PDB file of all heavy atoms in Angstrom:
ATOM      1  N   PHE Q  14     -16.914 -69.525  -3.903  1.00  0.00           N
ATOM      2  CA  PHE Q  14     -17.274 -70.293  -2.711  1.00  0.00           C
ATOM      3  C   PHE Q  14     -18.624 -70.967  -2.956  1.00  0.00           C
ATOM      4  O   PHE Q  14     -19.682 -70.342  -2.787  1.00  0.00           O
ATOM      5  CB  PHE Q  14     -17.333 -69.377  -1.485  1.00  0.00           C
ATOM      6  CG  PHE Q  14     -16.051 -68.628  -1.225  1.00  0.00           C
ATOM      7  CD1 PHE Q  14     -16.029 -67.236  -1.171  1.00  0.00           C
ATOM      8  CD2 PHE Q  14     -14.853 -69.310  -1.059  1.00  0.00           C
ATOM      9  CE1 PHE Q  14     -14.847 -66.549  -0.941  1.00  0.00           C
ATOM     10  CE2 PHE Q  14     -13.663 -68.624  -0.829  1.00  0.00           C
ATOM     11  CZ  PHE Q  14     -13.657 -67.247  -0.774  1.00  0.00           C
ATOM     12  N   ASN Q  15     -18.593 -72.219  -3.358  1.00  0.00           N
ATOM     13  CA  ASN Q  15     -19.818 -72.918  -3.744  1.00  0.00           C
ATOM     14  C   ASN Q  15     -19.887 -74.337  -3.196  1.00  0.00           C
ATOM     15  O   ASN Q  15     -20.549 -75.197  -3.762  1.00  0.00           O
ATOM     16  CB  ASN Q  15     -19.956 -72.938  -5.270  1.00  0.00           C
ATOM     17  CG  ASN Q  15     -18.665 -73.378  -5.947  1.00  0.00           C
ATOM     18  OD1 ASN Q  15     -17.923 -74.200  -5.412  1.00  0.00           O
ATOM     19  ND2 ASN Q  15     -18.396 -72.819  -7.130  1.00  0.00           N
ATOM     20  N   ASP Q  16     -19.193 -74.553  -2.091  1.00  0.00           N
ATOM     21  CA  ASP Q  16     -19.279 -75.837  -1.400  1.00  0.00           C
ATOM     22  C   ASP Q  16     -20.644 -75.912  -0.707  1.00  0.00           C
ATOM     23  O   ASP Q  16     -20.975 -75.075   0.140  1.00  0.00           O
ATOM     24  CB  ASP Q  16     -18.146 -75.945  -0.379  1.00  0.00           C
ATOM     25  CG  ASP Q  16     -18.117 -77.285   0.333  1.00  0.00           C
ATOM     26  OD1 ASP Q  16     -19.132 -77.627   0.979  1.00  0.00           O
ATOM     27  OD2 ASP Q  16     -17.094 -77.976   0.266  1.00  0.00           O
ATOM     28  N   THR Q  17     -21.431 -76.908  -1.058  1.00  0.00           N
ATOM     29  CA  THR Q  17     -22.813 -76.978  -0.561  1.00  0.00           C
ATOM     30  C   THR Q  17     -22.869 -77.026   0.964  1.00  0.00           C
ATOM     31  O   THR Q  17     -23.691 -76.348   1.593  1.00  0.00           O
ATOM     32  CB  THR Q  17     -23.527 -78.203  -1.143  1.00  0.00           C
ATOM     33  OG1 THR Q  17     -23.521 -78.108  -2.571  1.00  0.00           O
ATOM     34  CG2 THR Q  17     -24.963 -78.274  -0.651  1.00  0.00           C
ATOM     35  N   GLU Q  18     -21.988 -77.791   1.584  1.00  0.00           N
ATOM     36  CA  GLU Q  18     -22.024 -77.906   3.039  1.00  0.00           C
ATOM     37  C   GLU Q  18     -21.434 -76.683   3.731  1.00  0.00           C
ATOM     38  O   GLU Q  18     -21.885 -76.303   4.807  1.00  0.00           O
ATOM     39  CB  GLU Q  18     -21.265 -79.166   3.475  1.00  0.00           C
ATOM     40  CG  GLU Q  18     -21.943 -80.460   3.053  1.00  0.00           C
ATOM     41  CD  GLU Q  18     -21.256 -81.675   3.645  1.00  0.00           C
ATOM     42  OE1 GLU Q  18     -20.285 -81.487   4.429  1.00  0.00           O
ATOM     43  OE2 GLU Q  18     -21.681 -82.801   3.336  1.00  0.00           O
ATOM     44  N   ARG Q  19     -20.449 -76.069   3.123  1.00  0.00           N
ATOM     45  CA  ARG Q  19     -19.754 -74.955   3.773  1.00  0.00           C
ATOM     46  C   ARG Q  19     -20.360 -73.599   3.428  1.00  0.00           C
ATOM     47  O   ARG Q  19     -20.506 -72.730   4.302  1.00  0.00           O
ATOM     48  CB  ARG Q  19     -18.282 -74.963   3.359  1.00  0.00           C
ATOM     49  CG  ARG Q  19     -17.416 -73.914   4.044  1.00  0.00           C
ATOM     50  CD  ARG Q  19     -16.041 -73.831   3.397  1.00  0.00           C
ATOM     51  NE  ARG Q  19     -16.116 -73.313   2.026  1.00  0.00           N
ATOM     52  CZ  ARG Q  19     -15.073 -73.222   1.194  1.00  0.00           C
ATOM     53  NH1 ARG Q  19     -13.887 -73.656   1.585  1.00  0.00           N
ATOM     54  NH2 ARG Q  19     -15.241 -72.734  -0.032  1.00  0.00           N
ATOM     55  N   ASP Q  20     -20.715 -73.377   2.168  1.00  0.00           N
ATOM     56  CA  ASP Q  20     -21.015 -72.031   1.678  1.00  0.00           C
ATOM     57  C   ASP Q  20     -22.488 -71.747   1.425  1.00  0.00           C
ATOM     58  O   ASP Q  20     -22.842 -70.590   1.177  1.00  0.00           O
ATOM     59  CB  ASP Q  20     -20.240 -71.774   0.381  1.00  0.00           C
ATOM     60  CG  ASP Q  20     -18.742 -71.954   0.537  1.00  0.00           C
ATOM     61  OD1 ASP Q  20     -18.208 -71.477   1.557  1.00  0.00           O
ATOM     62  OD2 ASP Q  20     -18.111 -72.576  -0.345  1.00  0.00           O
ATOM     63  N   ALA Q  21     -23.342 -72.744   1.449  1.00  0.00           N
ATOM     64  CA  ALA Q  21     -24.755 -72.511   1.156  1.00  0.00           C
ATOM     65  C   ALA Q  21     -25.359 -71.532   2.158  1.00  0.00           C
ATOM     66  O   ALA Q  21     -25.138 -71.638   3.364  1.00  0.00           O
ATOM     67  CB  ALA Q  21     -25.520 -73.826   1.177  1.00  0.00           C
ATOM     68  N   PHE Q  22     -26.137 -70.576   1.636  1.00  0.00           N
ATOM     69  CA  PHE Q  22     -26.749 -69.547   2.483  1.00  0.00           C
ATOM     70  C   PHE Q  22     -27.789 -70.178   3.401  1.00  0.00           C
ATOM     71  O   PHE Q  22     -28.562 -71.048   2.998  1.00  0.00           O
ATOM     72  CB  PHE Q  22     -27.398 -68.483   1.606  1.00  0.00           C
ATOM     73  CG  PHE Q  22     -27.729 -67.212   2.332  1.00  0.00           C
ATOM     74  CD1 PHE Q  22     -26.765 -66.232   2.518  1.00  0.00           C
ATOM     75  CD2 PHE Q  22     -28.993 -67.000   2.850  1.00  0.00           C
ATOM     76  CE1 PHE Q  22     -27.062 -65.063   3.202  1.00  0.00           C
ATOM     77  CE2 PHE Q  22     -29.299 -65.836   3.537  1.00  0.00           C
ATOM     78  CZ  PHE Q  22     -28.327 -64.868   3.712  1.00  0.00           C
ATOM     79  N   LEU Q  23     -27.795 -69.731   4.662  1.00  0.00           N
ATOM     80  CA  LEU Q  23     -28.723 -70.247   5.665  1.00  0.00           C
ATOM     81  C   LEU Q  23     -29.752 -69.179   6.017  1.00  0.00           C
ATOM     82  O   LEU Q  23     -29.391 -68.099   6.490  1.00  0.00           O
ATOM     83  CB  LEU Q  23     -27.962 -70.664   6.933  1.00  0.00           C
ATOM     84  CG  LEU Q  23     -28.820 -71.114   8.121  1.00  0.00           C
ATOM     85  CD1 LEU Q  23     -29.520 -72.438   7.805  1.00  0.00           C
ATOM     86  CD2 LEU Q  23     -27.960 -71.242   9.384  1.00  0.00           C
ATOM     87  N   TYR Q  24     -31.019 -69.473   5.788  1.00  0.00           N
ATOM     88  CA  TYR Q  24     -32.076 -68.563   6.218  1.00  0.00           C
ATOM     89  C   TYR Q  24     -32.464 -68.896   7.651  1.00  0.00           C
ATOM     90  O   TYR Q  24     -32.603 -70.063   8.031  1.00  0.00           O
ATOM     91  CB  TYR Q  24     -33.283 -68.633   5.286  1.00  0.00           C
ATOM     92  CG  TYR Q  24     -33.035 -67.894   3.993  1.00  0.00           C
ATOM     93  CD1 TYR Q  24     -32.586 -68.581   2.869  1.00  0.00           C
ATOM     94  CD2 TYR Q  24     -33.193 -66.522   3.922  1.00  0.00           C
ATOM     95  CE1 TYR Q  24     -32.314 -67.913   1.684  1.00  0.00           C
ATOM     96  CE2 TYR Q  24     -32.924 -65.832   2.741  1.00  0.00           C
ATOM     97  CZ  TYR Q  24     -32.486 -66.533   1.631  1.00  0.00           C
ATOM     98  OH  TYR Q  24     -32.202 -65.848   0.477  1.00  0.00           O
ATOM     99  N   GLY Q  25     -32.607 -67.853   8.451  1.00  0.00           N
ATOM    100  CA  GLY Q  25     -32.933 -68.027   9.861  1.00  0.00           C
ATOM    101  C   GLY Q  25     -32.678 -66.726  10.598  1.00  0.00           C
ATOM    102  O   GLY Q  25     -32.199 -65.742  10.018  1.00  0.00           O
ATOM    103  N   THR Q  26     -33.010 -66.711  11.872  1.00  0.00           N
ATOM    104  CA  THR Q  26     -32.878 -65.483  12.653  1.00  0.00           C
ATOM    105  C   THR Q  26     -31.965 -65.683  13.852  1.00  0.00           C
ATOM    106  O   THR Q  26     -31.751 -66.801  14.319  1.00  0.00           O
ATOM    107  CB  THR Q  26     -34.257 -64.992  13.137  1.00  0.00           C
ATOM    108  OG1 THR Q  26     -34.893 -66.040  13.873  1.00  0.00           O
ATOM    109  CG2 THR Q  26     -35.132 -64.591  11.957  1.00  0.00           C
ATOM    110  N   PHE Q  27     -31.445 -64.576  14.340  1.00  0.00           N
ATOM    111  CA  PHE Q  27     -30.580 -64.546  15.512  1.00  0.00           C
ATOM    112  C   PHE Q  27     -31.436 -64.502  16.782  1.00  0.00           C
ATOM    113  O   PHE Q  27     -32.630 -64.169  16.731  1.00  0.00           O
ATOM    114  CB  PHE Q  27     -29.669 -63.323  15.459  1.00  0.00           C
ATOM    115  CG  PHE Q  27     -28.568 -63.419  14.433  1.00  0.00           C
ATOM    116  CD1 PHE Q  27     -28.823 -63.185  13.081  1.00  0.00           C
ATOM    117  CD2 PHE Q  27     -27.270 -63.738  14.807  1.00  0.00           C
ATOM    118  CE1 PHE Q  27     -27.812 -63.274  12.132  1.00  0.00           C
ATOM    119  CE2 PHE Q  27     -26.254 -63.832  13.874  1.00  0.00           C
ATOM    120  CZ  PHE Q  27     -26.526 -63.595  12.531  1.00  0.00           C
ATOM    121  N   PRO Q  28     -30.844 -64.802  17.936  1.00  0.00           N
ATOM    122  CA  PRO Q  28     -31.598 -64.724  19.197  1.00  0.00           C
ATOM    123  C   PRO Q  28     -32.191 -63.328  19.418  1.00  0.00           C
ATOM    124  O   PRO Q  28     -31.645 -62.318  18.951  1.00  0.00           O
ATOM    125  CB  PRO Q  28     -30.535 -65.047  20.252  1.00  0.00           C
ATOM    126  CG  PRO Q  28     -29.510 -65.863  19.525  1.00  0.00           C
ATOM    127  CD  PRO Q  28     -29.477 -65.311  18.126  1.00  0.00           C
ATOM    128  N   ASP Q  29     -33.287 -63.269  20.121  1.00  0.00           N
ATOM    129  CA  ASP Q  29     -33.976 -61.994  20.331  1.00  0.00           C
ATOM    130  C   ASP Q  29     -33.097 -60.971  21.042  1.00  0.00           C
ATOM    131  O   ASP Q  29     -33.239 -59.767  20.821  1.00  0.00           O
ATOM    132  CB  ASP Q  29     -35.256 -62.222  21.142  1.00  0.00           C
ATOM    133  CG  ASP Q  29     -36.341 -62.927  20.333  1.00  0.00           C
ATOM    134  OD1 ASP Q  29     -36.239 -62.939  19.088  1.00  0.00           O
ATOM    135  OD2 ASP Q  29     -37.272 -63.478  20.954  1.00  0.00           O
ATOM    136  N   ASP Q  30     -32.214 -61.435  21.933  1.00  0.00           N
ATOM    137  CA  ASP Q  30     -31.373 -60.504  22.689  1.00  0.00           C
ATOM    138  C   ASP Q  30     -30.007 -60.284  22.029  1.00  0.00           C
ATOM    139  O   ASP Q  30     -29.099 -59.745  22.659  1.00  0.00           O
ATOM    140  CB  ASP Q  30     -31.185 -60.991  24.122  1.00  0.00           C
ATOM    141  CG  ASP Q  30     -30.527 -62.369  24.203  1.00  0.00           C
ATOM    142  OD1 ASP Q  30     -30.350 -63.019  23.151  1.00  0.00           O
ATOM    143  OD2 ASP Q  30     -30.195 -62.802  25.327  1.00  0.00           O
ATOM    144  N   PHE Q  31     -29.866 -60.682  20.781  1.00  0.00           N
ATOM    145  CA  PHE Q  31     -28.597 -60.509  20.076  1.00  0.00           C
ATOM    146  C   PHE Q  31     -28.300 -59.021  19.912  1.00  0.00           C
ATOM    147  O   PHE Q  31     -29.185 -58.225  19.586  1.00  0.00           O
ATOM    148  CB  PHE Q  31     -28.675 -61.180  18.704  1.00  0.00           C
ATOM    149  CG  PHE Q  31     -27.358 -61.333  18.001  1.00  0.00           C
ATOM    150  CD1 PHE Q  31     -26.460 -62.320  18.381  1.00  0.00           C
ATOM    151  CD2 PHE Q  31     -27.013 -60.500  16.941  1.00  0.00           C
ATOM    152  CE1 PHE Q  31     -25.245 -62.478  17.718  1.00  0.00           C
ATOM    153  CE2 PHE Q  31     -25.812 -60.652  16.273  1.00  0.00           C
ATOM    154  CZ  PHE Q  31     -24.915 -61.639  16.670  1.00  0.00           C
ATOM    155  N   LEU Q  32     -27.050 -58.638  20.151  1.00  0.00           N
ATOM    156  CA  LEU Q  32     -26.648 -57.234  20.108  1.00  0.00           C
ATOM    157  C   LEU Q  32     -26.217 -56.868  18.687  1.00  0.00           C
ATOM    158  O   LEU Q  32     -25.293 -57.459  18.132  1.00  0.00           O
ATOM    159  CB  LEU Q  32     -25.500 -56.995  21.094  1.00  0.00           C
ATOM    160  CG  LEU Q  32     -24.890 -55.612  21.251  1.00  0.00           C
ATOM    161  CD1 LEU Q  32     -24.269 -55.467  22.646  1.00  0.00           C
ATOM    162  CD2 LEU Q  32     -23.807 -55.343  20.199  1.00  0.00           C
ATOM    163  N   TRP Q  33     -26.892 -55.886  18.095  1.00  0.00           N
ATOM    164  CA  TRP Q  33     -26.532 -55.362  16.777  1.00  0.00           C
ATOM    165  C   TRP Q  33     -25.979 -53.948  16.946  1.00  0.00           C
ATOM    166  O   TRP Q  33     -26.591 -53.115  17.607  1.00  0.00           O
ATOM    167  CB  TRP Q  33     -27.742 -55.319  15.854  1.00  0.00           C
ATOM    168  CG  TRP Q  33     -28.339 -56.652  15.541  1.00  0.00           C
ATOM    169  CD1 TRP Q  33     -29.443 -57.221  16.117  1.00  0.00           C
ATOM    170  CD2 TRP Q  33     -27.868 -57.585  14.560  1.00  0.00           C
ATOM    171  NE1 TRP Q  33     -29.689 -58.449  15.568  1.00  0.00           N
ATOM    172  CE2 TRP Q  33     -28.740 -58.705  14.599  1.00  0.00           C
ATOM    173  CE3 TRP Q  33     -26.806 -57.586  13.659  1.00  0.00           C
ATOM    174  CZ2 TRP Q  33     -28.583 -59.808  13.769  1.00  0.00           C
ATOM    175  CZ3 TRP Q  33     -26.649 -58.690  12.824  1.00  0.00           C
ATOM    176  CH2 TRP Q  33     -27.518 -59.785  12.886  1.00  0.00           C
TER     177      TRP Q  33
END
Side-chain angles (χ1 to χ4, degrees):
F14 303 122
N15 48 33
D16 183 301
T17 301
E18 293 187 3
R19 184 190 67 185
D20 303 317
F22 196 84
L23 175 68
Y24 283 95
T26 56
F27 287 79
D29 288 343
D30 60 352
F31 192 77
L32 180 154
W33 297 100

